[in-house]
Amino acid sequence: MTSPSREGLTEAVDQIEGVYRSEGKKFLIAFGSALRTRKLYPLENEQVQKSFDELAATARTLHQVDPTLEMQISEEFVYINKTRLRLGLEQYSALGHVMETFKNAGAGIIAVDEAVSREEWQELMSVLVEVKPHEDPHDYLEELLDALERLGVTHISLARAAESDQELDAEERAREVARRTYRQGVAVTQDVVNSVRMGRTANVRRMKRAVQGVVDQVLNNELSLVGLTAIRDYDEYTFTHSVNVCIFSVALGKRLRLGKRQLYDLGIAALLHDVGKSRVPIEMITKSGALTDEEWHVMQSHPWFGVLAMFQIHKEGDVPYRGIVAAYEHHMKVDVTGYPRPVRRRTPSLFSKIVAVADGFDAATTRRSYQNPIQPDDVLREMYTNRRRGFDPVIVKELVNLVGMYPVGTCVILDTREVAIVQGRLPEHDSLNRPVVRIVIDAEGKVVTPHPSADLNEKTPAGRFRRSIVRVADPAVFGIKPGDVLM
Amino acid sequence: MDVTQETVQATPGHDMKAVEGLLREFVKALRAVQLYLPNNPMYENACKQLAKAFHNVWDQTDRIELLVKDSELLWEEVGVYKQESKNDGLAWLLYKDGIRGITFLPGVEETESVAFLNILNQVRTLPPESADDLLTLLWEQEFEFIRHEATELADADGDEFTKEEIDAPDSETVTAEVQRQMAEQPESNDFTTIEDSGASLLALNEEELAYLQREITREYEQDLRTNVLAILLDIFETQRNSSVRIEIAGILEKFMVHLVATGDFGAVLYLLREVATVTTRAQELTWEEKQGLENLSTKLSEPEIFAQVATGLDRNVADVREEEIEKLFSGLKPAVFEPALLALTQMQNEDTKTLLEDALIKMAIAHKDALIGALKSGDPAVLQMAVRFVKTLSTEGSVPHLRRLLRDGDDATRLEVIGALEKFATSEALDAAVVALDDKLRDVRITAARMIGQARHAPALGIIESKIGDDGPLKDADLSEKKAFFEAYGRLAGDSGITRLTPLLHTKGLLKKKVDPQVRACAAMALGEIGTPTAVETLKKVDDDKDPVVRNAVHRALEDSSK
């Protein structure tokens, strides 16, 4: 049930953002080039003139989309008309120089309107190349603006980055770091699985770095990273699942007061817990529909497949023993009635039990095409109350404390009639039913983009909670994919 | 590494020279750490100078933030360190692993600066395929006074996730749906105590907290390697697939080598014990699968591997029980005999030494060829130990080798050999010992003479006779040697020797040559060995000899001959 106009608008927005990204990069490079060449050579130099031609051309392209071109530069990010550019190595050399200049000038934003002339670009660069570090960037910016005015530059303006934008920056920065950490984890898991399939050793260093990154992120800004566990990439389920289990396990370990090094050990074990699936035929992994008995028997072998796989992909001195134990034990259940059944007497280790809980939660909250959706709160309830599931009750209790009554990714209806997706629980709050949410649909039933965060612990001046959860809802009813919202 | 200075303007208010000086000392200290051990005065001095340089900087500023480029370091946008060669130097060492900024804080000079230097030195020697680099090692350190920034390019790792647009119904439909759901009875969550004010955290009670603490302790006290071995053996037993079992056997072999190299003999012994169990318990083992398991013992018998085992057990840091060591040694293969002998000569721990010796004796009895083979070793220590074993076991077929060693062996070996031949006392051994009568070692000669005399080995008479006399080859020998040869002569020659001995004993008369009293005494002892009435008469003629040495010898000889 989608309105054609909404669909068309969304597609148009995507196209525009695409233009900003591709042309924005060109504009940034051209801007950096013009600045650099102007610094080195006189105005009449051929290279300088060429760089101004390029700069004016890229600006004109962007002006076709919007008459005002706005470039915002923060410490790490560049936005063109509020669209963040994705930058690679080749853009960083341009970016560094431009960033330094803007920082020294005390400016965060440059706005250019479509009537800008070539001469104005030239005057702007002449002013910018003289910019040096100043004791008071605030006053300095004022001086620069006066200079531009005197030179007749009226279609280009500089401004400080707004405070709220700086906050947005900080939040966006945190999310970007989280996304990067997550992506690294997925890439590493992919590398490990492919190494097993191809019979070669894996890049252990990359794995170490990825897990260290997860630990750092969980210790410093858990919310952003835990939020990403709602990503459900069904084509690459094994990889995202392994990363999710790693994140949940480390976050649980943090609640259990494990030290940094112990969290790392746990993270490695969690990341590799399902590596045995690399020895299961791919058709069985990706099968949509229930497995036959024979297929299930093969799938149940993945714990010990994982043990062998870990010896295959590591050199002798690097074998992750805890990873092997967790891979072997994570389906055993606390009373060892699960699988595989050991011959020698065994009590599952703490790390295995943590990984089991994280694995159980993430697997159960992932919707498969042949399964009916299970809401995260239902999953938690089942894990906590049904002891036959074999999870360690103390660790499940801490999982509830970690994710709250409404775990990350849960779709909720608020008493304000808004529809939101739970991002996570802030550790500093004691309440389990007041998480941080991202508002997706407002009280009028309209999609809100970007999806603003709302902390349900927030109160009005009168002391009442601004928002409260009324009930859990099925996100599919509203056309929402929780992972995409939290990405 | 050369350090040159960028020509730049100093930032007002700071002393760039202090920072440059610090980096010069840093580079020197890095070199010192690379070349010397911590107890070397050069190392200590370099670290002291570095600490001093840090103090100089702390007089000017309370942090040093350096921007890292590939061949230089910048402080407040001023170059304070530059290396000439791009791929060598402090800047490159930091840059290549992704460090783009590094900050030092006051306090770093206490301990962290030296720890940092050691990490940099470690990173230098890491192989390309190492599991670590500078970033992973720094992460593990948790420095308090050193911070770093590493490069984090947006597209560095992994693909961006693609988002799909929200496919929501129109706003009227949404609003209606929200109202409908809000009107329904809300669900309850029965695993929390819910009030409208918000459910609070599920607090862990004392028992649960104690349980968690126990679990954490258990996690970190467990013997991980033994645990992993148990897992592998479980899989071996429960999976009947031959390729799986063979794969596991291969893993166990490599793992065992690693355990030996790291000195974890407790785990090695656990493995061997469990393998013995598995071999009997596992169902339907094929020959190949069994062989795979037996390869473990064979592997332990490889010289290099065994040498590590022996060294480790000699130190016995793992405190392995004696019966386990005995079991390990009893599983050794004959191929390890020589290396084991060598290990035996080097062992300090008497208990372990005894256990190994016992095991090797058993091996030598069961595999004589292994011991005989050791008699051909080029290592003198091994030879001597092998000869001792031969002596203990009286190993058949060893005499020809002992004879060869009497000829070609070093002093210590020849001494061992003559001792072994003495114990053998067969005619073959006695024949071999004749060579030793001319050995350059006194003790060898004496032993040879005694054993030949004891055995009355007649073939040696000629040689022995040639040695006795006042000015014969024994002229410069001590009394013990003289005695040994003379006594041997007496036993071998019998009555026919009296003619030769009498002139040596009776020296009266003007024309009689004066004979050394020791020789006269030895002649008396020889006559005592002969013991016939003629010999006794010859002795009685000088029983009142003026020389007390001679007189005592005569009296003793007369006593011995009367027994």
Side-chain angles (χ1 to χ4, degrees):
Chain A
M1 276 196 298
T2 311
S3 94
S5 62
R6 181 189 301 280
E7 192 177 61
L9 184 59
T10 310
E11 199 180 311
V13 165
D14 279 350
Q15 277 178 354
I16 288 169
E17 284 186 356
V19 169
Y20 284 151
R21 285 205 183 97
S22 60
E23 295 306 315
K25 266 190 204 176
K26 289 179 190 167
F27 174 75
L28 174 65
I29 292 171
F31 194 99
S33 174
L35 190 60
R36 203 166 36 247
T37 51
R38 184 65 187 91
K39 187 164 184 159
L40 292 171
Y41 307 115
L43 183 61
E44 51 279 5
N45 177 281
E46 192 185 326
Q47 229 171 319
V48 173
Q49 289 301 312
K50 204 171 156 193
S51 68
F52 280 120
D53 289 339
E54 185 62 29
L55 179 60
T58 56
R60 270 198 300 278
T61 306
L62 286 164
H63 279 136
Q64 286 172 10
V65 181
D66 191 317
T68 302
L69 160 61
E70 185 183 275
M71 181 165 75
Q72 184 177 343
I73 295 180
S74 67
E75 283 183 29
E76 274 186 46
F77 303 112
V78 179
Y79 301 83
I80 296 290
N81 291 0
K82 305 278 188 228
T83 298
R84 189 170 68 82
L85 301 187
R86 293 196 182 121
L87 302 172
L89 185 59
E90 64 276 13
Q91 287 97 43
Y92 262 78
S93 61
L95 179 62
H97 188 53
V98 172
M99 271 183 156
E100 200 180 324
T101 303
F102 270 64
K103 184 183 158 193
N104 290 336
I109 299 173
I110 177 169
V112 183
D113 99 36
E114 63 178 345
V116 64
S117 66
R118 187 195 175 79
E119 289 69 31
E120 284 177 291
W121 280 121
Q122 288 173 181
E123 298 295 2
L124 171 73
M125 290 303 164
S126 301
V127 166
L128 289 181
V129 296
E130 298 302 329
V131 164
K132 292 218 173 2
H134 198 273
E135 270 181 7
D136 187 345
H138 188 282
D139 283 348
Y140 193 39
L141 181 61
E142 296 299 324
E143 284 174 29
L144 293 175
L145 292 172
D146 288 342
L148 286 173
E149 201 182 331
R150 281 196 300 276
L151 290 167
V153 176
T154 55
H155 296 103
I156 303 176
S157 62
L158 298 171
R160 267 179 290 282
E163 270 189 20
S164 60
D165 283 346
Q166 282 169 359
E167 278 174 16
L168 189 66
D169 252 357
E171 211 178 292
E172 175 61 24
R173 253 201 310 279
R175 276 205 283 273
E176 176 56 27
V177 173
R179 280 194 291 269
R180 193 181 304 133
T181 303
Y182 195 94
R183 281 200 308 273
Q184 284 171 350
V186 170
V188 157
T189 310
Q190 220 162 359
D191 175 57
V192 169
V193 167
N194 290 338
S195 295
V196 173
R197 292 205 190 274
M198 286 158 59
R200 58 176 164 81
T201 51
N203 189 328
V204 175
R205 186 189 317 159
R206 214 171 150 210
M207 195 189 321
K208 269 187 131 163
R209 283 225 210 166
V211 174
Q212 286 175 352
V214 168
V215 172
D216 282 342
Q217 188 72 10
V218 165
L219 288 175
N220 299 324
N221 188 341
E222 182 183 294
L223 187 67
S224 296
L225 193 60
V226 171
L228 294 178
T229 57
I231 289 173
R232 300 284 183 249
D233 188 327
Y234 307 116
D235 289 336
E236 307 290 357
Y237 168 71
T238 304
F239 309 137
T240 55
H241 169 66
S242 292
V243 177
N244 290 349
V245 171
C246 178
I247 293 168
F248 278 127
S249 297
V250 172
L252 271 171
K254 179 184 161 192
R255 285 206 68 84
L256 300 175
R257 291 185 180 77
L258 296 181
K260 187 173 158 184
R261 195 59 209 267
Q262 293 167 329
L263 290 175
Y264 166 79
D265 290 339
L266 175 58
I268 286 280
L271 192 71
L272 296 174
H273 80 284
D274 263 352
V275 73
K277 286 188 180 167
S278 51
R279 288 193 172 202
V280 174
I282 293 179
E283 315 80 64
M284 227 179 273
I285 304 272
T286 57
K287 183 178 178 182
S288 56
L291 298 175
T292 63
D293 284 350
E294 200 181 316
E295 287 168 339
W296 182 235
H297 176 72
V298 172
M299 191 60 86
Q300 279 192 318
S301 302
H302 82 269
W304 64 262
F305 281 169
V307 173
L308 303 189
M310 273 191 260
F311 276 100
Q312 177 194 334
I313 57 175
H314 287 92
K315 296 200 183 77
E316 260 63 79
D318 297 333
V319 174
Y321 299 130
R322 285 203 167 79
I324 288 173
V325 174
Y328 189 63
E329 291 181 340
H330 75 281
H331 283 299
M332 257 187 202
K333 299 188 182 179
V334 289
D335 58 3
V336 202
T337 57
Y339 62 91
R341 290 291 175 99
V343 174
R344 288 156 184 77
R345 205 173 150 200
R346 169 169 296 278
T347 307
S349 71
L350 173 66
F351 281 15
S352 298
K353 290 189 284 192
I354 292 173
V355 169
V357 165
D359 177 44
F361 178 71
D362 188 69
T365 50
T366 298
R367 178 181 162 191
R368 304 296 194 101
S369 58
Y370 62 92
Q371 290 173 331
N372 292 323
I374 309 175
Q375 291 293 354
D377 60 320
D378 287 334
V379 171
L380 274 185
R381 188 178 300 114
E382 174 68 7
M383 288 175 76
Y384 189 77
T385 56
N386 186 352
R387 293 295 154 96
R388 282 181 304 170
R389 292 280 179 186
F391 296 113
D392 185 305
V394 176
I395 298 174
V396 174
K397 212 174 179 180
E398 283 295 84
L399 177 68
V400 174
N401 287 332
L402 171 68
V403 301
M405 281 167 55
Y406 305 102
V408 59
T410 309
C411 181
V412 293
I413 294 177
L414 305 176
D415 59 356
T416 53
R417 297 178 193 280
E418 292 161 306
V419 179
I421 297 296
V422 174
Q423 183 175 359
R425 211 182 63 77
L426 286 172
E428 55 265 34
H429 294 306
D430 282 348
S431 61
L432 290 178
N433 64 345
R434 295 196 165 276
V436 172
V437 302
R438 303 283 293 276
I439 309 290
V440 183
I441 293 176
D442 65 17
E444 279 77 48
K446 294 186 193 132
V447 172
V448 183
T449 50
H451 315 302
S453 287
D455 183 353
L456 299 192
N457 287 282
E458 233 180 82
K459 289 184 177 172
T460 65
R464 296 181 62 84
F465 287 108
R466 281 194 193 280
R467 296 177 171 90
S468 299
I469 293 173
V470 171
R471 63 170 296 145
V472 168
D474 179 1
V477 167
F478 300 102
I480 297 172
K481 286 201 168 105
D484 288 350
V485 169
L486 297 175
M487 215 186 279
Chain B
M1 263 184 281
D2 287 345
V3 176
T4 60
Q5 184 179 330
E6 285 276 333
T7 307
V8 292
Q9 284 183 327
T11 310
H14 296 282
D15 191 350
M16 189 181 70
K17 285 194 186 330
V19 176
E20 282 181 338
L22 167 68
L23 288 169
R24 272 196 293 272
E25 292 303 331
F26 200 97
V27 166
K28 282 185 201 167
L30 183 57
R31 192 103 184 112
V33 162
Q34 187 187 348
L35 294 173
Y36 307 112
L37 290 173
N39 58 2
N40 187 295
M42 300 289 283
Y43 181 111
E44 287 171 359
N45 189 50
C47 295
K48 272 191 197 136
Q49 293 303 318
L50 179 61
K52 198 170 152 190
F54 267 113
H55 283 298
N56 288 346
V57 176
W58 301 143
D59 288 341
Q60 310 289 335
T61 179
D62 61 357
R63 64 196 292 124
I64 306 164
E65 274 186 45
L66 298 171
L67 185 65
V68 178
K69 304 267 185 192
D70 59 356
S71 59
E72 61 178 333
L73 301 175
L74 277 65
W75 174 69
E76 298 198 356
E77 297 171 18
V78 170
V80 286
Y81 166 86
K82 189 168 174 61
Q83 62 196 51
E84 286 199 352
S85 160
K86 182 177 172 172
N87 291 342
D88 181 33
L90 174 61
W92 178 246
L93 197 55
L94 298 168
Y95 187 86
K96 71 175 177 61
D97 278 348
I99 304 272
R100 294 293 178 265
I102 191 144
T103 302
F104 298 111
L105 299 170
V108 67
E109 65 279 2
E110 299 296 321
T111 53
E112 288 187 6
S113 57
V114 175
F116 184 59
L117 286 169
N118 277 295
I119 288 179
L120 290 179
N121 190 40
Q122 188 183 346
V123 162
R124 260 201 174 121
T125 56
L126 286 174
E129 67 278 7
S130 169
D132 280 304
D133 60 8
L134 184 55
L135 286 182
T136 60
L137 292 175
L138 284 177
W139 189 91
E140 287 172 4
Q141 285 300 310
E142 297 190 73
F143 285 131
E144 196 185 336
F145 304 110
I146 304 177
R147 301 199 187 135
H148 66 276
E149 286 169 26
T151 183
E152 298 270 28
L153 296 177
D155 296 340
D157 272 326
D159 300 323
E160 286 279 359
F161 293 113
T162 50
K163 287 168 72 157
E164 293 180 25
E165 69 277 13
I166 293 172
D167 187 20
D170 60 84
S171 55
E172 276 179 25
T173 310
V174 167
T175 312
E177 179 62 27
V178 166
Q179 276 179 340
R180 186 189 69 74
Q181 292 204 30
M182 285 175 80
E184 278 180 10
Q185 191 72 18
E187 294 165 4
S188 66
N189 291 289
D190 56 10
F191 59 90
T192 59
T193 55
I194 311 262
E195 294 300 328
D196 191 46
S197 58
S200 36
L201 288 174
L202 303 176
L204 297 183
N205 59 38
E206 291 289 330
E207 202 181 310
E208 288 166 335
L209 286 170
Y211 162 76
L212 276 177
Q213 195 46 59
R214 283 196 306 272
E215 286 295 287
I216 292 172
T217 305
R218 185 170 72 88
E219 174 70 41
Y220 277 89
E221 283 184 354
Q222 67 171 311
D223 183 342
L224 274 172
R225 287 167 173 160
T226 305
N227 194 347
V228 168
L229 285 172
I231 288 171
L232 288 166
L233 292 161
D234 272 5
I235 300 169
F236 188 98
E237 284 198 65
T238 53
Q239 303 305 319
R240 304 242 186 123
N241 184 305
S242 197
S243 63
V244 169
R245 283 181 163 175
I246 289 168
E247 183 181 353
I248 291 176
I251 290 173
L252 286 172
E253 189 179 316
K254 283 189 193 156
F255 197 6
M256 188 186 72
V257 171
H258 176 69
L259 291 172
V260 168
T262 54
D264 192 348
F265 299 105
V268 172
L269 289 162
Y270 169 82
L271 174 59
L272 293 175
R273 195 169 56 239
E274 289 298 309
V275 160
T277 305
V278 167
T279 310
T280 50
R281 189 166 71 192
Q283 294 176 20
E284 297 169 14
L285 276 182
T286 65
W287 178 86
E288 213 177 326
E289 291 161 13
K290 227 181 239 180
Q291 200 62 39
L293 292 179
E294 280 172 14
N295 278 348
L296 293 175
S297 300
T298 309
K299 197 75 185 171
L300 269 186
S301 297
E302 285 181 14
E304 269 182 32
I305 308 285
F306 180 78
Q308 291 178 63
V309 172
T311 308
L313 289 174
D314 192 30
R315 286 199 298 262
N316 204 1
V317 171
D319 200 24
V320 181
R321 294 196 314 271
E322 272 188 23
E323 49 267 33
E324 293 199 308
I325 299 177
E326 194 182 352
K327 256 192 197 146
L328 186 151
F329 287 155
S330 66
L332 294 172
K333 306 286 182 214
V336 80
F337 191 79
E338 266 188 59
L341 280 185
L342 180 60
L344 196 59
T345 66
Q346 295 163 346
M347 276 185 170
Q348 308 290 321
N349 184 315
E350 288 302 324
D351 295 333
T352 311
K353 198 170 175 178
T354 305
L355 290 170
L356 179 58
E357 194 168 343
D358 289 347
L360 290 178
I361 285 174
K362 286 177 188 154
M363 188 186 291
I365 293 171
H367 303 277
K368 186 182 78 173
D369 290 344
L371 179 53
I372 299 290
L375 291 175
K376 297 175 197 162
S377 171
D379 188 317
V382 170
L383 277 176
Q384 287 149 38
M385 192 60 77
V387 171
R388 271 181 230 151
F389 271 56
V390 160
K391 180 177 173 181
T392 304
L393 300 174
S394 302
T395 305
E396 198 184 313
S398 60
V399 172
H401 300 282
L402 295 178
R403 186 205 300 267
R404 175 179 49 75
L405 288 172
L406 260 189
R407 216 176 34 240
D408 305 328
D410 64 11
D411 291 353
T413 304
R414 295 197 315 279
L415 202 52
E416 290 288 347
V417 166
I418 197 64
L421 289 172
E422 184 181 18
K423 185 160 178 274
F424 272 117
T426 60
S427 61
E428 194 186 4
L430 289 163
D431 278 340
V434 171
V435 174
L437 293 172
D438 286 315
D439 196 277
K440 62 180 182 172
L441 270 188
R442 165 201 178 267
D443 288 348
V444 172
R445 294 192 298 266
I446 291 176
T447 309
R450 281 187 184 144
M451 71 178 272
I452 286 170
Q454 286 280 74
R456 297 178 194 270
H457 185 61
L461 175 60
I463 297 177
I464 296 222
E465 190 171 49
S466 71
K467 302 232 184 259
I468 62 165
D470 186 30
D471 54 2
L474 292 176
K475 183 173 66 170
D476 298 321
D478 60 27
L479 179 59
S480 294
E481 189 171 357
K482 285 186 176 107
K483 183 177 172 210
F485 274 86
F486 270 85
E487 283 179 345
Y489 179 69
R491 289 175 179 220
L492 291 175
D495 253 351
S496 62
I498 294 175
T499 317
R500 183 135 171 113
L501 293 170
T502 304
L504 294 174
L505 182 60
H506 294 167
T507 58
K508 284 189 179 153
L510 279 172
L511 294 176
K512 292 246 178 178
K513 187 178 160 197
K514 198 152 194 253
V515 179
D516 176 19
Q518 279 192 356
V519 170
R520 293 183 66 213
C522 287
M525 289 175 215
L527 286 166
E529 289 293 336
I530 295 170
T532 59
T534 314
V536 169
E537 281 306 310
T538 309
L539 283 167
K540 279 180 178 172
K541 285 178 184 168
V542 287
D543 67 355
D544 60 348
D545 196 282
K546 273 190 265 192
D547 190 300
V549 172
V550 174
R551 194 167 58 247
N552 284 340
V554 166
H555 289 170
R556 205 173 314 127
L558 284 168
E559 272 173 35
D560 289 345
S561 63
S562 67
K563 284 179 187 163

